[in-house]
Amino acid sequence: MSGTLTIDDQTIPFSDGQTIIEAARTAGVYIPHLCHRPGYTPHGSCKLCTVKVNGRTCSACTFPAAEGQKVVNNSEELQEARLRITQMLFVEGNHFCPTCEKSGNCELQAVGYHLNMLDNHFPHFYAHRKVDASHPDILIDHNRCIFCNLCVRASRESDGKDVFGIAGRGIHKRLIVNSPTGQLKDSNISVEDCAVQVCPTGAILVKRTGYKTPIGGRIYDQHPISTIACKKRETDAT
Ligand code: SF4
Ligand code: FES
């Protein structure tokens, strides 16, 4: 089955089984998101993709596309809510872009630019979480984790492993490594794993590659996320 729906009055087609975000992406319409990645099981946790469908508030990454839906994506109200969510993510962890190796390749930073984020709005938490540098090739800076669950799903669904998990709730939420010591060096992760590549922030990094591409020449230095996210990315599962 297939049909059409409208997003901000633009008619777009969808095919059977597609969510609203996937139908939008296929048509080149960007709906901001962070925990969604094509091909991975939807998670619906970051709420950045919130849209209105026939007047109801829904997550576009989990809500199935259906005939005749009227979707509002680009309203002032929704962009304001997305801006607040993004600002919360920034203050809850340590996202200091000018000193982060991921700057210019970071989706959180790129979403901040898309939403014209000019300040943090909220007081900073100054997170004091661990850095796991135990693995010879991979580093985890837990202070930059936004708990999007993408590494958990990528490890399970693409790598056929189960390296990561998320434990705890609220401010006690944390990314855990499934290894006898809880350290990355004792897990079966490898540097080629999709779980290493998929992180939308600088939480999971490959060592000695941080400045391979100079700042200014990186993906979101060159193109807005609204363009990049509508194309196939290397870290998509499909
Ligand atoms: S480490 Fe990265 S991919 Fe994994 S949950 Fe945190 S932000 Fe998401
Ligand atoms: S992208 Fe939909 S909730 Fe995160």
Side-chain angles (χ1 to χ4, degrees):
M1 206 189 93
S2 60
T4 60
L5 50 81
T6 63
I7 300 185
D8 297 331
D9 297 327
Q10 180 184 341
T11 301
I12 64 159
F14 68 89
S15 10
D16 198 20
Q18 272 189 321
T19 56
I20 290 174
I21 208 169
E22 277 309 307
R25 175 176 167 264
T26 310
V29 175
Y30 173 61
I31 299 178
H33 56 274
L34 281 169
C35 75
H36 170 75
R37 189 52 65 96
Y40 290 120
T41 305
H43 195 244
S45 57
C46 76
K47 301 301 173 203
L48 211 66
C49 70
T50 300
V51 290
K52 291 243 170 127
V53 181
N54 300 338
R56 266 184 61 197
T57 301
C58 310
S59 297
C61 70
T62 52
F63 207 79
E67 180 62 35
Q69 281 169 334
K70 291 192 187 322
V71 180
V72 176
N73 173 40
N74 232 336
S75 69
E76 211 174 297
E77 179 197 354
L78 289 169
Q79 292 294 74
E80 174 82 10
R82 291 166 182 157
L83 175 63
R84 291 289 177 257
I85 292 169
T86 308
Q87 288 167 319
M88 276 190 246
L89 290 172
F90 264 86
V91 301
E92 195 262 349
N94 292 342
H95 304 283
F96 305 125
C97 305
T99 56
C100 179
E101 305 91 306
K102 194 74 179 258
S103 181
N105 287 329
C106 173
E107 290 174 37
L108 178 64
Q109 180 190 39
V111 164
Y113 282 131
H114 174 77
L115 296 170
N116 196 26
M117 181 180 148
L118 300 175
D119 62 17
N120 282 344
H121 186 75
F122 301 106
H124 211 287
F125 281 32
Y126 295 108
H128 193 60
R129 307 185 202 128
K130 285 183 186 158
V131 174
D132 181 347
S134 63
H135 193 282
D137 300 317
I138 305 158
L139 177 134
I140 306 178
D141 184 344
H142 289 272
N143 297 294
R144 296 176 184 155
C145 178
I146 58 168
F147 308 108
C148 69
N149 193 271
L150 274 169
C151 58
V152 179
R153 284 172 281 160
S155 183
R156 196 170 296 152
E157 297 173 16
S158 280
D159 304 330
K161 302 179 183 177
D162 205 6
V163 172
F164 295 108
I166 289 183
R169 301 173 70 115
I171 58 164
H172 301 295
K173 200 188 273 188
R174 65 197 190 283
L175 182 73
I176 51 170
V177 173
N178 292 319
S179 74
T181 59
Q183 287 196 303
L184 207 54
K185 73 175 167 59
D186 299 315
S187 75
N188 60 346
I189 199 164
S190 66
V191 76
E192 299 80 23
D193 283 359
C194 297
V196 176
Q197 314 300 329
V198 79
C199 183
T201 72
I204 302 181
L205 295 168
V206 178
K207 290 181 178 177
R208 298 173 298 279
T209 61
Y211 293 94
K212 220 166 158 183
T213 306
I215 286 179
R218 301 173 179 195
I219 189 152
Y220 302 116
D221 294 333
Q222 303 281 333
H223 308 280
I225 194 164
S226 53
T227 309
I228 299 298
C230 289
K231 296 181 180 156
K232 178 152 174 50
R233 289 174 283 190
E234 273 176 26
T235 49
D236 291 350
T238 53

